[in-house]
Every structure is written in C-alpha cells, then in structure tokens.
Amino acid sequence: MRHHVRLLARDDDELNCGSGGGDRSDTGLRIASIFIILVGSLAGALFPVLARRSKYLSKHIPQRVFDTAKYFGSGVIIATSLIHLLDPAIEELSSPCLAPAWQDYPYAIAICLCSIFLIFIVELVAFRWGTARLERLGLAHDAHGHGLASHAAHGPETDQLAQANAALSRNDNDSSLHREKSRDSTNSHEHGHAGQTFPHAHSDVEARGHGHHHHPHAVGDSPAAQVIGIAILEFGVLLHSILIGLTLAVNEEFKVLFIVLVFHQTFEGLGVGSRLAFVRLPEKYNYIPVLGAVLFGITTPLGIAVGLGVRETYNPESTTASIVSGILDAFSSGILLYTGLVELMAHEFLFNSDMLHGSNSKLAYAIGCMILGAGLMAVLGRWA
C-alpha cells in the first residue's frame, strides 16, 4: 500500500510534501475504529496476563495454551521489528520529500544498529549492577541461564524453585568435602559441576538452615531486571502503536488498513501479553504486567484519536512527518529485534534446559508456533 501511494505520486510528478491535509473521508468509521481496535488490543494483551493470574482460568486452561501463546508471541515480535518497523523506516527516511543527503546513507539501518547496541549496553550495565549486589549478599549468578539464573524478563525458561533446590542439594553433597578447607581459608569456594561459583561454606549453611524461607536468586530473576526487560519491550511496542494509530486516522487507504490493523494489533497484543504473563514478580508488583497490557491496548486508539484531531494539518507524507516517524520506527525496530532474538529466542531455546533436554516433538511444536506467529505478521505486512 505504501509503495502504491508513493508510485502514484511519482507518476503524477506531484509529491505530497505539504504541511497539512490528511484524508477526511469515512469520519464515522474512523471514530468507530478507536473502539474496535481498543477491544481487540486489550483482549489480545490482557487475556494471557489475567488468565495466568486467575486461579480458575489457570486451572481450567491447559498449559499448552499458554505455551502456544508465548512462542507465537515471540515470532510476532520478531516479524514486527523487521516487516512493520524497519521496512517502513527505510521508506520514510529515503522519501523523495527529504533532502538529497538522506539518500546518501542508510540512516534507518544505522539508527536500528545504534538502538540494538544501546539496549544491549543498558541491560549489560543493569546486570553488572545487579550481579554486584547479589555477590555482596552471597548469592549466585549464572550469566548464561543454565543454572540458577533463568533470565525471566520476558518469561522464565525453567522453574526457579526446582533450580534452587537442585543447587542446594549439590552444595549438601559437596559441603563435607570442603568444610575442613573452609575453616583454614576464608577464600575457599565451593564449585558445582556446572562451573558455577557458590557462596562460602558458612553462607551455604545459613542458606540451608533457612531453606524454607529463602532460595538463591540470580540477577535475571530479580524484580528490577524483569521490570527493565518489560520497560524495554513496552517502549518499542508503544512507539510503534502510536505511529500506526496516527497513520490510520489520516490515510487514504483507510478501510484496507483498518481491517489489517484489527488483526495486527490483536496478534501483537497476544505477543506482548504472553510475555508479560510469564513474568515472575513479588506480589506487590503484580500490577506491572497488567499495567503493561493496558498501556499497549490504549496506545493505538490514542494515536487514532490524536490523528483525527490534527488531520486538518497533519500530513504523513510531509518532510517533517517522514523524518520523525522514520527515526522512531528505526529505533523501535532495534529494540524489538534485540528483544526478540536475544531475550526471547535465545533464552527460550538455547539457554532453556527444558528445550535442550526435552522431547523433539516439544521442540518442534515450539518452533512451529514461533514461525507461525512470524509468518502471519509478515503476511500482514503486505497491507500495513
């Protein structure tokens, strides 16, 4: 659709680069789209979160349903980053309405690259800070997520309690061998067979003595790390949602775009909601996933409402609009690409002991769900 509109402009030798004038037709339907997309977005994002937290629903809905939504959502997020964000950003920042200098360099891809490294550095700093705090508390950290750490910012890969108990059991077996050495040297450490460094022997005794109250946590399981992960995912998705809402409000191809965006937002909401549903936070922070789902649900309708309010002056093809939306799309694409590949795909499959040691059928099913989510979102990119 974007290619079609731009091609018509070139054929007519009249580029629509003015400062005002969005499409003014179908006003009633455009207003109705605010509420229709609101329902679809909220349903997709809130259902996994509320179902996971409802004792009745979580008891009656099979675990396979939640797993399907989780893996499907991973594919949706990855496809969104490339098809629905990076490609439009490349088009917008190479628009003929822009100065010739914009054509001399792939600015959209460069912004995406900077975004990936920025998010990586933010998480790296957060993890180093969190690890240092854990070490001061005498707790363990596994940077690869194979042992105690199950980087749960977008969904835990393994059962944290089972991992903690297994680690304590290994310490029990090894403690008799090291207790004598620990008396002679306070710098002596116990080493698990997975290559993890555990606390000193006296700390281990304390941990076992209070085992029913306290379990070792890794930095990936800390509330701060998970909130950072949620914020990164939400930031990228919300920017995208506001922009497509603005576009829908003023676009000439409204009816086609509207139908596509109903499915687009529902699928993307399901992707975001399924990630939020699997976040483990202390009870006092349980509102955060719900708040994240609600924010996703209202951003596109809010963008539509704003677009309708300014459509007398807002022109999505203008120079300013192309630059702003192109930069935001490119930046958001880097966020979602990093989140999808590193936080979701890598940690769900490569660093997930359930997947590494599970059955081939389970692995094939998970990959199939992820590919299905990516495929459906990629197909929707043909129209929006």
Side-chain angles (χ1 to χ4, degrees):
M1 182 183 69
R2 293 184 297 267
H3 299 284
H4 179 65
V5 172
R6 196 150 289 168
L7 182 61
L8 288 177
R10 285 170 179 161
D11 288 343
D12 295 337
D13 291 327
E14 293 180 3
L15 291 176
N16 186 17
C17 300
S19 59
D23 188 74
R24 298 171 178 80
S25 62
D26 300 310
T27 300
L29 187 57
R30 290 178 197 262
I31 294 174
S33 70
I34 296 175
F35 304 98
I36 295 172
I37 290 181
L38 176 65
V39 171
S41 299
L42 285 176
L46 278 175
F47 175 74
V49 175
L50 297 180
R52 188 77 177 176
R53 281 158 173 72
S54 167
K55 292 182 179 179
Y56 177 82
L57 291 177
S58 60
K59 181 178 179 181
H60 290 82
I61 297 177
Q63 181 63 31
R64 175 60 66 89
V65 174
F66 291 106
D67 290 340
T68 299
K70 180 172 65 171
Y71 299 124
F72 181 89
S74 298
V76 167
I77 290 171
I78 293 170
T80 298
S81 68
L82 295 173
I83 305 298
H84 295 268
L85 287 172
L86 186 56
D87 178 64
I90 293 172
E91 285 190 21
E92 288 155 352
L93 294 184
S94 60
S95 168
C97 293
L98 273 58
W102 287 94
Q103 321 295 328
D104 297 336
Y105 187 78
Y107 286 100
I109 297 176
I111 294 171
C112 176
L113 178 65
C114 293
S115 175
I116 290 172
F117 276 96
L118 177 61
I119 298 304
F120 165 71
I121 292 170
V122 168
E123 283 211 329
L124 180 61
V125 170
F127 270 62
R128 284 175 60 87
W129 173 78
T131 303
R133 291 203 60 183
L134 288 173
E135 289 176 350
R136 288 197 295 271
L137 296 174
L139 300 180
H141 171 52
D142 175 10
H144 297 289
H146 293 293
L148 293 174
S150 58
H151 185 69
H154 305 290
E157 294 88 345
T158 52
D159 184 77
Q160 177 182 328
L161 183 58
Q163 294 180 64
N165 289 335
L168 288 176
S169 177
R170 290 196 298 270
N171 285 352
D172 286 334
N173 294 333
D174 293 340
S175 60
S176 60
L177 298 176
H178 293 274
R179 191 172 291 115
E180 190 64 32
K181 293 181 179 180
S182 66
R183 293 194 187 105
D184 299 332
S185 174
T186 57
N187 293 325
S188 174
H189 289 80
E190 294 179 341
H191 295 277
H193 51 266
Q196 297 163 329
T197 300
F198 291 94
H200 298 314
H202 61 82
S203 299
D204 176 53
V205 172
E206 291 177 6
R208 286 193 314 248
H210 302 82
H212 61 289
H213 293 300
H214 179 72
H215 298 282
H217 292 271
V219 64
D221 294 316
S222 68
Q226 295 184 65
V227 170
I228 289 172
I230 293 173
I232 289 172
L233 175 63
E234 284 281 322
F235 183 71
V237 169
L238 296 185
L239 282 179
H240 169 53
S241 297
I242 291 175
L243 289 175
I244 62 175
L246 280 169
T247 302
L248 180 63
V250 299
N251 198 281
E252 294 179 0
E253 303 289 337
F254 167 75
K255 292 181 179 178
V256 175
L257 188 60
F258 171 48
I259 294 172
V260 173
L261 285 184
V262 170
F263 292 99
H264 177 284
Q265 288 304 103
T266 302
F267 288 155
E268 191 170 352
L270 184 63
V272 173
S274 65
R275 310 315 310 180
L276 296 174
F278 280 86
V279 170
R280 290 176 180 172
L281 293 172
E283 187 174 349
K284 64 179 180 179
Y285 297 118
N286 272 344
Y287 69 92
I288 291 180
V290 178
L291 177 62
V294 171
L295 283 176
F296 172 82
I298 65 176
T299 46
T300 296
L302 180 63
I304 298 172
V306 172
L308 288 174
V310 300
R311 65 176 175 169
E312 298 292 331
T313 56
Y314 177 73
N315 177 11
E317 299 295 329
S318 68
T319 300
T320 302
S322 294
I323 293 175
V324 172
S325 61
I327 291 174
L328 293 179
D329 277 344
F331 188 80
S332 299
S333 72
I335 294 175
L336 295 192
L337 187 60
Y338 176 87
T339 300
L341 296 180
V342 177
E343 308 292 354
L344 305 183
M345 186 182 289
H347 282 277
E348 288 289 356
F349 293 93
L350 297 179
F351 302 149
N352 183 348
S353 61
D354 291 340
M355 284 297 172
L356 291 176
H357 305 297
S359 65
N360 291 333
S361 60
K362 179 180 180 179
L363 177 62
Y365 180 79
I367 293 175
C369 290
M370 185 169 60
I371 292 175
L372 177 63
L376 287 175
M377 288 301 286
V379 169
L380 290 178
R382 169 63 179 82
W383 299 278

